[in-house]
Amino acid sequence: MIRSTLTIAGKDLRLAFAGGQGPVQAILLGLLLVFLFSLSAAPGDLFSSQQGMAIFWLCSSFAVVLIFSLLFRFEEENDTATALILSPAPIQSLWLGKTLAGAILLGLCQIFFFLAAVVFLSLDVQGSPALLLLMIVSVDVGLCVLGGLMGAMGHGQGAKDTLLTIILFPLQVPLLLGGIRIGTEVLYGALAVDVAQWFGLILAFDAVFSGAALFLFSHVFRGE
Amino acid sequence: MSEAEPLLRLSQVGHFFGSRLIFKGVSCTLDQGQIMLVAGPNGAGKSTLLKVMAGLLEPTAGVVTRQVAHKNMAFMGHQTFVYAAMTALANLEFWNALYGRGLKEKAIIDLLDRVGLKGFALELAGTFSRGMAQRLSLARVLLIEPELIFLDEPATGLDRASQAILHGELTMARQRGAGIVWISHDLERDLGQADMLLYLNRGQMSYYGPGADFDLEEQA
Amino acid sequence: MPISSRFLVVLACLAALSMLLGQYFIWFYAPEELTMGVVQKIFYLHLPLAWWAFMAFLGVFVASVMVLWTKNEKWDLWAGVLAEVGVLFCGLALVTGSIWGRASWNTWWTWDPRLSTTLVMWFVYAGYLLLRGAGVGGVKGATIRAVLGIVAFLDVPLVFLSARLWRSIHPTVFAAQGGGLEPEMWVTVWVNAVAWGVLFIVLAVARIHNQTLAHRIDYILARFRDTTLQHKE
């Protein structure tokens, strides 16, 4: 299971960066969003940490859609999906491999998003960077777990896969709220008591949807 | 695995898409070293039957039993199963890892040599012609060293040389004891090589028996 | 299972009667609330609508699980129908809730966990209906829709918790709702809940009825085309 997961994640990263493309589309879209939002403040006005974090997570949320649509598109060109399903690798390792590759690509995108937020929105970290990183990783897990499942649903649907985002975005709400709230407090450097509760909620989201995806993926990604 | 047990056995297998009947009542067996040809008019459900045999689709009726593990089965169809943005070598290395074959790079290059692609090992598969991509797909099949092979008209659109390589490798696989199920469009060409023939027509198995006894005129 | 039209008519009449009874209770039985006056009566629509919307979404979840479990596409039909009625009721609950909020807290919208959860659920299931209408999934459509139905419902408690946490550091705009109801008011709530429940069942059964007929027509048309095609050959 672990070996085939890593094999698939490795292959997907290799394909993602083949031709120098990588998650460039997701990064560019995110940078564009940050730039556009920076126009929403009058010159000289400062963005609040909460606004900054909200824009950061909005970019991440869009990036997840683009990344997983890319990762599952790889399997469409010559119907390699069928070959993967027929392989001895457990079907769950396909989902896990893609989720892992997606998380790495998302993390890469977020470096750019964060830097852009610092530059354009004057974001400033006064609290613990380690806590910020921990929060981003735990929210990313949930985003990618759900993104991987949704990507598999969009597989082989042609243009219809974009419709799935209509349901994906509202499903992400608890994660995004958590990310914004913890992020805001870390940026201020003043932690309120509810940070632990928010972490609990985010981890619960990760656990519930990891379990669901492990079980549901084999129904979604199968031969036809 | 006992000698008597066939590699593949279908009993009263049927398949529906929703309420639409594709085929029903298909029963057959495939022994080691046998080639079974699957034929029939367009839309008779040959590809669906092959997918059911390979375990890609669950049959809606009947039972499919295979004496072969997943890692010893191979499937080759019209689609080449090739990652266009990776080199020929990287493609095979991926399947090598996923199937847990543990072949060294040298052995993989030898496989590419067998299908005549040695000089193209480091070229992107996306630049290949259909014939070359299908040869790469054949190399993937050889890498698996399958005991059970499913072929969905792999020769379609192939040049003569690639067809010859394909037939040569299949003959060798059969001599090793592999069982082969093969969908054919060209019965006159392929019937001579087959041990058994399964003819699908209008959702039914209208003929199942030795290829030599088959009368195409009668079926038409 | 074909549902007879006569049964449906009886059920519809029952729904009409119980709705009338509900209205009687609202206007003539329940006392007028002192501070809010007559506007408070929208509460008797709002609460049953919200309850039945939630029941509908629970139904979508159960039917979706059954699709995966039994592989019987009949359940897929039920999931779709319940989602339709659920989105309708949920939308009405949002509108009535907003009007009520305007009257009682002087704002059309507030970050109340229940209200926010209802809104997010409305988004999720409206999206779900859109996906159904667009025919997402192809051959494995029923399975894809079932997975969406399950995932959507798993999200509900998480959305509720997050909305509650989100609000917790803001000052509460209002005292907890639902408290301080007169016994007559509760009776009225229950009568209306039952009335809306009957209407809910009528709508669901009617939709199932015509979806089943639509499927049968599709099937007959497909058979017809197959045979004409074979004759041409």
Side-chain angles (χ1 to χ4, degrees), chain C residues 7-226:
Chain C
F7 172 64
L8 198 56
V9 171
V10 173
L11 212 58
C13 290
L14 197 66
L17 283 177
S18 53
M19 288 301 280
L20 277 176
L21 187 72
Q23 291 301 308
Y24 172 82
F25 268 77
I26 291 175
W27 300 104
F28 299 107
Y29 179 76
E32 194 164 303
E33 219 256 347
L34 286 178
T35 46
M36 286 177 62
V38 80
V39 186
Q40 184 264 346
K41 295 200 182 285
I42 206 167
F43 172 71
Y44 301 118
L45 304 185
H46 173 70
L47 200 63
L49 280 167
W51 279 351
W52 285 106
F54 183 81
M55 290 310 284
F57 298 147
L58 178 66
V60 175
F61 173 72
V62 172
S64 299
V65 171
M66 292 305 283
V67 170
L68 295 186
W69 195 10
T70 64
K71 311 248 180 257
N72 188 337
E73 301 210 352
K74 177 184 80 185
W75 291 107
D76 179 45
L77 226 55
W78 272 104
V81 164
L82 288 171
E84 283 174 3
V85 183
V87 167
L88 175 69
F89 277 31
C90 190
L92 289 174
L94 281 172
V95 172
T96 50
S98 186
I99 293 171
W100 193 34
R102 175 70 187 169
S104 66
W105 316 311
N106 206 27
T107 170
W108 290 109
W109 189 257
T110 170
W111 194 264
D112 168 64
R114 264 166 286 210
L115 222 50
S116 313
T117 308
T118 313
L119 180 65
V120 173
M121 277 164 76
W122 186 85
F123 276 127
V124 169
Y125 286 94
Y128 172 84
L129 282 185
L130 189 81
L131 290 171
R132 288 187 74 96
V136 166
V139 183
K140 29 179 201 180
T143 316
I144 300 268
R145 292 190 288 270
V147 169
L148 282 174
I150 293 172
V151 169
F153 196 72
L154 290 179
D155 205 43
V156 172
L158 293 163
V159 172
F160 181 76
L161 285 175
S162 64
R164 204 170 61 180
L165 267 179
W166 184 262
R167 196 190 61 146
S168 69
I169 71 160
H170 295 289
T172 37
V173 192
F174 52 89
Q177 64 190 74
L181 278 192
E182 306 272 342
E184 288 89 351
M185 289 179 171
W186 273 117
V187 173
T188 311
V189 166
W190 281 109
V191 169
N192 277 282
V194 172
W196 282 100
V198 180
L199 183 67
F200 173 90
I201 293 167
V202 170
L203 289 174
V205 170
R207 281 297 284 154
I208 279 285
H209 187 56
N210 74 24
Q211 296 261 333
T212 317
L213 289 180
H215 265 248
R216 204 181 294 167
I217 292 170
D218 283 349
Y219 176 68
I220 292 169
L221 274 179
R223 286 267 306 263
F224 178 69
R225 275 195 218 104
D226 278 356

Side-chain angles (χ1 to χ4, degrees), chain A residues 11 75 78-79 86 88 224, chain B residues 51 56 70 81-83 99:
Chain A
K11 184 266 298 172
E75 313 301 347
N78 291 313
D79 195 23
L86 284 168
E224 45 180 283
Chain B
K51 284 177 182 173
L56 202 57
H70 252 292
F81 298 164
V82 158
Y83 290 107
Y99 275 80

Side-chain angles (χ1 to χ4, degrees), chain B:
Chain B
M1 187 176 77
S2 77
E3 276 297 305
E5 202 54 28
L7 292 178
L8 177 72
R9 179 197 295 279
L10 274 72
S11 24
Q12 291 300 319
V13 168
H15 200 79
F16 293 81
F17 281 131
S19 54
R20 216 177 94 90
L21 169 77
I22 308 298
F23 56 80
K24 65 179 179 188
V26 174
S27 300
C28 61
T29 57
L30 180 75
D31 290 320
Q32 287 193 357
Q34 263 193 344
I35 292 185
M36 187 199 315
L37 223 54
V38 177
N42 274 332
K46 302 184 293 284
S47 290
T48 308
L49 177 62
L50 197 73
K51 284 177 182 173
V52 168
M53 285 177 169
L56 202 57
L57 283 178
E58 284 292 314
T60 18
V63 187
V64 180
T65 32
R66 282 174 293 266
Q67 294 298 321
V68 179
H70 252 292
K71 65 178 180 22
N72 296 321
M73 289 195 309
F75 191 102
M76 194 173 164
H78 321 262
Q79 298 281 3
T80 53
F81 298 164
V82 158
Y83 290 107
M86 298 201 301
T87 63
L89 181 64
N91 264 286
L92 289 184
E93 277 173 341
F94 170 66
W95 296 113
N96 178 40
L98 203 64
Y99 275 80
R101 299 286 303 161
L103 296 187
K104 296 276 183 292
E105 189 178 309
K106 166 104 183 30
I108 295 177
I109 300 269
D110 285 347
L111 278 176
L112 284 170
D113 196 16
R114 262 166 80 181
V115 297
L117 287 179
K118 190 178 181 182
F120 302 93
L122 295 178
E123 307 247 338
L124 291 183
T127 63
F128 285 4
S129 69
R130 169 155 174 89
M132 290 163 80
Q134 204 59 321
R135 284 186 196 200
L136 183 55
S137 190
L138 179 62
R140 176 183 56 82
V141 171
L142 298 176
L143 177 142
I144 298 169
E145 280 193 28
E147 294 169 28
L148 189 51
I149 307 176
F150 300 98
L151 302 170
D152 190 351
E153 297 174 40
T156 314
L158 284 197
D159 53 283
R160 288 255 171 118
S162 304
Q163 282 196 25
I165 291 177
L166 177 69
H167 284 212
E169 289 295 345
L170 288 180
T171 314
M172 274 166 62
R174 178 195 197 175
Q175 282 162 0
R176 269 198 298 108
I180 300 172
V181 185
W182 181 356
I183 294 185
S184 165
H185 251 334
D186 194 345
L187 265 186
E188 285 172 33
R189 181 195 66 196
D190 298 331
L191 200 54
Q193 304 188 42
D195 302 296
M196 298 296 274
L197 173 72
L198 195 163
Y199 198 85
L200 274 184
N201 200 358
R202 297 194 179 177
Q204 304 273 356
M205 186 171 78
S206 63
Y207 177 86
Y208 174 62
D213 301 345
F214 181 72
D215 184 358
L216 190 61
E217 302 291 315
E218 190 184 306
Q219 289 297 325

